[in-house]
Amino acid sequence: MHKSLLLAIGIATLLAITPDALRAQKKLTLSGYVSEAGGETLIGANVYVQDQPVKGAATNAYGFYSLSLEPGEYTIVYSYLGYADRKERVNLAKEDVLLSVDLSQGATLEEVVVTAEEEDENISETQMGTVELTTDKVKKLPAIFGEVDVLKTLQLLPGVQSGGEGSSGFYVRGGGPDQNLVLLDEAVVYNSGHLLGFFSVFNPDAIKNTTLIKGGMPANYGGRLSSVVDIQMKEGNDESFRVDGGIGLVASRLTLQGPIQKEKSSFILSGRRTYILDLAQPAIDGTDFAGTNYYFYDFNAKANYRFSEKDRLYLSGYFGRDVLKFQQAESDFNFDLPYGNTTGTLRWNHLFNNRLFFNLSAVYNEYDFGFEGGQGDFSVNVFSGVRDYNLKLDFDFFPVPEHSLKYGLAYTYHRLTPQVAEARSGDEVFTNGLESRFANEFGAYVLDDWKISPRLAVNYGIRFSSFTQLGPYVSSFDGTEYDRDEAVKTYSNLEPRLGLRYHLNSKSSLKAGVTRTAQYLHLVSNSTSTLPTDIWVPSSELVKPQLGLQYALGYFRNFNDNAWEASVEVYYKDLKNQIDYRESYVNNPADDIEQQFVFGQGRAYGAEFFINKRKGRLTGWLGYTISRTERTFPDINDGKTYRAVYDRPHDLSLVTSYEFSKKVTGSAVFVYGSGQTFTPLRSLYLIEGGLVQEYAPRNSSRIQDYHRLDLSVIWTPKPDSEKRFKSSWAFSVYNGYNRQNPFFIYYDLDVNRNAGTAEARALQVSLFPVIPSVTWNFSWQ
C-alpha cells in the first residue's frame, strides 16, 4: 500500500510538471543568492521581473533562488521588507545566468511603492498559519527582566498559548508541549527553557530569523503533531569585524562576528550569562544558605566558507546550561541540579545546476538532566536525557516557474535515557536497574508547490516515516529478551499534506489545508509547562505513536497597498494515542515509566482572528483566538471527556510599536486569556481519624482569568552618528498595573482530629508583580 501510494504521488507529480518541463526547454534560468550587506543570506526575499510580479520566485531557507524565463533581456527586482530594492539588468538571450546580489537596509518612498507589489505573502503564499519574525522586531517589544525572548513573542500570536506566567513554554492549537518541533539550525532542541521555563535558550543576538508553522506543516517537516518553530542562526559578517552586546539587571550578552577571509568566509561567537545571585553572594555568605547559587549561560558559534558560487560549508553549534546549587548547613542538606542542551550542525550546500539545489546536513543534539543531592550519609544521583545523531539530504528543484519541488531523506539514531538512579546510604548502594532506550527513525518526503494558474495554487506532498525500537529490551508481553540494536517493534506511517490557495482578487484569497502527522517521541508531564525533570520516552511495544489529523480553512485580505494584513482561520484537530500518567501515579525513579502510562484521544477546534499593520511609524498586531481543547482517556475521569489543562476558550493579544522619532521608539503589549483549568477539592472529612479528600471531576474549574500590560521605550541617543560605536537604552515595565495573576492554586488544610473537624481553604500563588528593568545595548563596527 505504501509503495503504491508513493508511486501514485510520483506519477501525479511527473504528469503535472511534464508539459511545463517541455515548454521549459525553450527557457533560460537566472539563479543565485540574495544576501544583506555583510553576507547574511535573506530567507524569503522576492525576485521578480519589473512590472510583472507574477513572474517571480522567492529565496529558500539558504537564500537561494531560481527563475526560468523566455530568452531575452529583463530588469530584475530584488526586494525584502525593510531593505532597499535592487534592480539588475539581466541578459538571458543565450545562456543561463548565475547572479548573487546584496541588499542594503532602508528604502526610499519610491522603492516602497515598487516593493509593495510583492509584499503580499499573506494572500499569495500557499502555506497557511505561517509567521516569520525577525530579531529586530522582537527586540522592540517589552520583556520580563529586560531579557528579549523570541518564544514569548510567538505566544502573542493567535493559536499560540503561553505555558504559564512568565513561561517560554507554549501550546499550539490544542497540542501538548511536546508536540512542537523546535529547531536551531536544523538541530532539535528538546528543552527550550532556562530557569524552569521562564526564559528561552535562544540568545536574540545570535538569531537571524524565526519561522512558526501552525496551520499544517509541509512534508519536509516531521516528528511532531502541532507546530514547527524553525530558528536560523546568523552566519557572521564577511566584510568587517563587529561587536554587539548588552548589559541588563539579570544578564549580559556579547557577540563577536567578522570575516575569516573577506567576502569568502565568516564567523560569529555569541554568549549570554545571568548573574543576579552571583551579585547576592556577599549577602548569602555567613547565612544558613551559604554556597547556594543559580545561573544559566548560552554559547552560540557558527562559521561558514564559500568555496565557490556552487559550494558552501556551514558549521554551527550551541551549548547551554542551567546550574542550581542549594546548600543548607543547619540540616546538612544539599543538591546540585545541572541541565542543558548541546547541538552541532554541519551543512554542505551544492548547486548541481541552476535549477537543482542540494543540502546535506549532519546533526548532533543532546539534552541531559542531572540531580545530585543528599543529607548526612544518604545521597542520591538521578540522570536522564536524549541524544540524537541525524543525517539529512534535501533537494530543491525548480523545473519551471510553475513548480517548486522539494524532496529528501532523513535518518536519526536516538538514545533516550530514563530516570537512571543510584542511592547510597552508608556503605549500601541501590540502583533502579533502568537502561537507555535506543531507536532508529527514518523519513522520506516529496512536495510540490504548484502554481496552477494566477488564481489557483496548491502545495501537495507526502512523507513516509518509520520508527524502530531497538534493544536491549525485555518484552512486557512474553518476556522475550532483545540484544543491543536488535529490532523490537517497528511503526510506519504515511503522512499526506495538502494546502490550497485561491485568489478571489488582487487583495484577498481563500486557503485550505489538510495535514496528517505522526510523532514517535513523547514527553509526558504533570505540569503546565515543560520542566527539566520531564522525561522523553520513545514509542515501543507498549507506547504507540501519537497521530494527528488537522483540517484548516482561512480567509486572507490585505489593505492599503499591503500595509495592513488581516486573516480569519478556523481549524479542527483530531489526536490519537495521547499519553498521560495514570491517576494513581507517584513519581518514583525505581519504576519503569512505561508502566505508569495510560492512553486516550483528544480533539481541538477553534477560530483565529488576526490584524497586522506592517508599515509606517505605528506597527503591530491584534490577535484573538476562541478555541476548545478536550481529552478522553478510559482510565482517567471515569472515561468521561474533560478539558485539557491548557484549554483556553479566549486568548487575546494586542501588540503595538510606535516610532516617535529616530531617537525614541515605544512599545506596548496587552494580553488576556481565560484561566487555566484545575481539579478542585470537593469535600474533606475525617473517618475514624483518617483524613479523606474527594476531588471534583478532572479540570472542572478554572483559576482567575489572566491579563497583563507591558510597556517599553528604546532610546537611541545618536541614531545618525557615523561613529563606529553606537548604543541604545531599553527601558521596560512588565505587568504595568501590578495584576496579581494566579500561578497556581493550592489548599491550606486545617484538621482537628480531636474535634473531628477538617477544613480546606484554597489559596492563590502569584509570581510576578510589576517589574521594571533597564538594558544598555551597544555595537561597534
Side-chain angles (χ1 to χ4, degrees):
M1 176 181 175
H2 292 170
K3 292 182 179 179
S4 61
L5 186 52
L6 286 171
L7 180 61
I9 293 291
I11 293 174
T13 302
L14 183 61
L15 291 175
I17 68 173
T18 295
D20 292 326
L22 292 174
R23 293 194 300 271
Q25 293 177 2
K26 301 177 182 179
K27 296 184 178 182
L28 295 173
T29 301
L30 170 68
S31 62
Y33 291 86
V34 180
S35 307
E36 66 175 9
E40 291 285 349
T41 56
L42 296 176
I43 302 169
N46 296 302
V47 183
Y48 61 96
V49 178
Q50 185 176 10
D51 300 324
Q52 300 181 64
V54 175
K55 294 183 178 180
T59 56
N60 67 5
Y62 308 98
F64 176 78
Y65 73 93
S66 178
L67 179 61
S68 295
L69 299 167
E70 300 288 345
E73 289 192 13
Y74 298 90
T75 298
I76 304 298
V77 181
Y78 297 85
S79 69
Y80 192 77
L81 186 63
Y83 289 74
D85 291 354
R86 178 166 174 174
K87 300 177 183 179
E88 293 286 342
R89 190 67 179 172
V90 177
N91 188 341
L92 279 176
K94 296 181 179 180
E95 60 183 3
D96 294 341
V97 173
L98 188 62
L99 178 62
S100 296
V101 301
D102 293 338
L103 301 183
S104 300
Q105 288 191 350
T108 67
L109 180 61
E110 178 182 355
E111 288 164 338
V112 169
V113 174
V114 174
T115 305
E117 292 180 321
E118 273 299 298
E119 293 171 2
D120 62 350
E121 290 89 351
N122 181 53
I123 60 175
S124 63
E125 288 296 311
T126 310
Q127 186 70 36
M128 62 189 303
T130 301
V131 179
E132 291 195 7
L133 288 176
T134 62
T135 302
D136 289 341
K137 180 184 292 185
V138 175
K139 285 185 175 181
K140 291 180 180 179
L141 302 182
I144 185 171
F145 297 115
E147 287 301 300
V148 175
D149 196 322
V150 63
L151 294 188
K152 285 192 175 68
T153 303
L154 293 180
Q155 294 171 5
L156 301 175
L157 297 170
V160 184
Q161 298 175 356
S162 165
E165 169 75 284
S167 172
S168 62
F170 61 100
Y171 305 92
V172 177
R173 291 186 171 179
D178 66 325
Q179 294 175 3
N180 305 308
L181 179 64
V182 181
L183 301 172
L184 179 63
D185 270 4
E186 301 185 33
V188 176
V189 178
Y190 281 98
N191 188 295
S192 59
H194 286 305
L195 188 59
L196 306 182
F198 291 118
F199 301 100
S200 80
V201 300
F202 304 113
N203 180 354
D205 288 346
I207 295 173
K208 176 170 65 175
N209 193 72
T210 301
T211 302
L212 168 69
I213 304 174
K214 58 186 173 71
M217 63 189 74
N220 53 314
Y221 294 105
R224 299 293 187 272
L225 299 188
S226 291
S227 75
V228 177
V229 178
D230 195 349
I231 299 174
Q232 292 88 29
M233 288 172 52
K234 292 179 179 177
E235 294 155 10
N237 194 313
D238 66 0
E239 294 182 355
S240 61
F241 185 74
R242 180 185 175 101
V243 179
D244 297 277
I247 300 174
L249 296 179
V250 299
S252 291
R253 315 177 314 275
L254 183 65
T255 300
L256 309 176
Q257 58 179 311
I260 300 174
Q261 184 176 351
K262 196 169 183 179
E263 296 183 350
K264 199 175 186 69
S265 63
S266 62
F267 75 93
I268 182 170
L269 303 173
S270 185
R272 176 178 63 162
R273 191 188 189 278
T274 58
Y275 42 67
I276 187 73
L277 283 184
D278 291 327
L279 300 178
Q281 287 303 304
I284 297 176
D285 289 343
T287 71
D288 194 35
F289 298 96
T292 297
N293 199 359
Y294 169 79
Y295 59 90
F296 70 76
Y297 59 89
D298 302 300
F299 179 72
N300 298 76
K302 191 170 184 177
N304 69 88
Y305 188 83
R306 187 182 309 159
F307 294 94
S308 67
E309 282 298 320
K310 291 192 173 183
D311 291 282
R312 300 185 180 199
L313 192 67
Y314 301 86
L315 177 63
S316 62
Y318 166 83
F319 182 80
R321 280 292 179 273
D322 284 66
V323 179
L324 173 60
K325 297 178 179 291
F326 180 82
Q327 302 278 347
Q328 189 175 37
E330 182 179 351
S331 61
D332 194 24
F333 174 67
N334 67 89
F335 69 81
D336 291 347
L337 195 152
Y339 63 93
N341 298 276
T342 303
T343 73
T345 305
L346 178 64
R347 295 185 295 179
W348 171 40
N349 290 174
H350 176 69
L351 293 181
F352 286 101
N353 55 54
N354 287 356
R355 298 179 184 177
L356 183 58
F357 177 92
F358 166 75
N359 177 73
L360 172 65
S361 298
V363 182
Y364 169 85
N365 56 279
E366 181 179 17
Y367 168 72
D368 60 78
F369 163 82
F371 175 89
E372 181 178 351
Q375 188 172 26
D377 63 351
F378 175 79
S379 64
V380 60
N381 295 317
V382 179
F383 175 83
S384 64
V386 185
R387 181 183 299 171
D388 292 344
Y389 300 90
N390 176 269
L391 190 66
K392 294 172 70 264
L393 294 85
D394 298 284
F395 295 85
D396 285 15
F397 181 43
F398 307 91
V400 289
E402 294 81 8
H403 290 273
S404 177
L405 277 77
K406 294 178 181 287
Y407 50 92
L409 304 170
Y411 166 76
T412 304
Y413 180 75
H414 298 286
R415 174 178 178 173
L416 298 97
T417 303
Q419 289 180 321
V420 176
E422 178 184 276
R424 293 178 178 270
S425 181
D427 296 330
E428 297 186 66
V429 179
F430 309 91
T431 62
N432 60 3
L434 298 181
E435 296 181 332
S436 296
R437 304 290 174 85
F438 301 88
N440 287 328
E441 186 170 1
F442 173 79
Y445 73 91
V446 59
L447 68 89
D448 180 22
D449 198 353
W450 180 15
K451 298 177 182 177
I452 300 175
S453 70
R455 285 184 177 268
L456 181 63
V458 57
N459 185 302
Y460 64 103
I462 193 165
R463 184 179 186 90
F464 171 76
S465 60
S466 177
F467 186 91
T468 301
Q469 177 192 6
L470 303 175
Y473 184 77
V474 178
S475 173
S476 301
F477 296 127
D478 56 16
T480 301
E481 296 185 8
Y482 295 88
D483 295 330
R484 176 70 182 267
D485 293 333
E486 183 180 357
V488 178
K489 178 70 175 180
T490 297
Y491 295 97
S492 298
N493 281 283
L494 281 176
E495 306 173 37
R497 317 284 172 85
L498 176 65
L500 297 170
R501 184 266 296 155
Y502 182 78
H503 271 307
L504 298 174
N505 51 51
S506 61
K507 297 181 180 180
S508 62
S509 65
L510 288 175
K511 299 181 186 180
V514 180
T515 305
R516 187 179 191 268
T517 48
Q519 179 169 328
Y520 301 99
L521 300 184
H522 322 283
L523 183 72
V524 188
S525 174
N526 273 333
S527 65
T528 60
S529 181
T530 57
L531 297 177
T533 52
D534 296 335
I535 300 171
W536 286 90
V537 296
S539 296
S540 65
E541 63 173 3
L542 288 177
V543 181
K544 295 181 179 180
Q546 299 182 63
L547 300 176
L549 183 62
Q550 179 177 248
Y551 306 91
L553 178 66
Y555 173 73
F556 299 79
R557 182 176 175 83
N558 287 4
F559 302 89
N560 194 21
D561 289 332
N562 300 314
W564 290 80
E565 298 176 343
S567 64
V568 178
E569 295 184 51
V570 295
Y571 67 90
Y572 181 88
K573 184 184 294 184
D574 185 50
L575 303 170
K576 298 187 181 301
N577 302 331
Q578 300 300 284
I579 307 173
D580 205 336
Y581 290 110
R582 62 179 69 254
E583 290 186 319
S584 60
Y585 170 70
V586 177
N587 188 8
N588 185 351
D591 293 336
D592 183 351
I593 198 70
E594 283 189 355
Q595 304 297 328
Q596 306 303 319
F597 295 155
V598 293
F599 307 94
Q601 316 300 321
R603 69 171 183 170
Y605 51 92
E608 301 168 1
F609 303 86
F610 188 57
I611 299 175
N612 181 25
K613 188 175 187 298
R614 304 175 65 204
K615 301 178 185 178
R617 299 175 67 179
L618 175 65
T619 59
W621 66 83
L622 173 66
Y624 171 70
T625 304
I626 180 170
S627 62
R628 178 68 73 196
T629 304
E630 300 171 341
R631 296 292 185 265
T632 305
F633 284 71
D635 299 309
I636 295 178
N637 202 44
D638 297 325
K640 299 177 182 177
T641 298
Y642 60 92
R643 298 166 184 169
V645 69
Y646 35 87
D647 172 72
R648 192 167 300 170
H650 303 284
D651 192 81
L652 180 143
S653 298
L654 175 62
V655 179
T656 61
S657 181
Y658 186 78
E659 184 179 338
F660 292 95
S661 67
K662 290 184 178 181
K663 290 186 177 182
V664 180
T665 298
S667 298
V669 173
F670 176 76
V671 295
Y672 169 85
S674 301
Q676 291 182 341
T677 62
F678 75 103
T679 304
L681 183 65
R682 183 165 56 186
S683 59
L684 181 72
Y685 52 89
L686 294 169
I687 297 181
E688 297 180 354
L691 182 64
V692 179
Q693 302 178 53
E694 292 186 354
Y695 286 86
R698 186 149 175 153
N699 294 341
S700 57
S701 291
R702 292 186 182 276
I703 60 178
Q704 294 180 13
D705 291 349
Y706 182 96
H707 52 89
R708 189 188 77 240
L709 174 67
D710 304 333
L711 303 168
S712 71
V713 173
I714 298 176
W715 176 49
T716 306
K718 298 180 180 180
D720 297 323
S721 173
E722 296 182 359
K723 294 182 179 180
R724 302 182 69 182
F725 182 84
K726 297 181 181 180
S727 66
S728 65
W729 291 87
F731 305 92
S732 65
V733 177
Y734 180 88
N735 194 11
Y737 53 83
N738 198 29
R739 161 73 173 175
Q740 298 299 301
N741 284 303
F743 186 55
F744 63 84
I745 299 292
Y746 75 97
Y747 289 95
D748 179 35
L749 304 182
D750 183 9
V751 180
N752 188 331
R753 286 181 169 80
N754 293 329
T757 61
E759 294 182 355
R761 184 174 53 152
L763 299 177
Q764 170 185 303
V765 175
S766 297
L767 199 59
F768 294 124
V770 56
I771 301 177
S773 61
V774 58
T775 303
W776 179 58
N777 298 303
F778 61 88
S779 65
W780 180 88
Q781 186 173 7

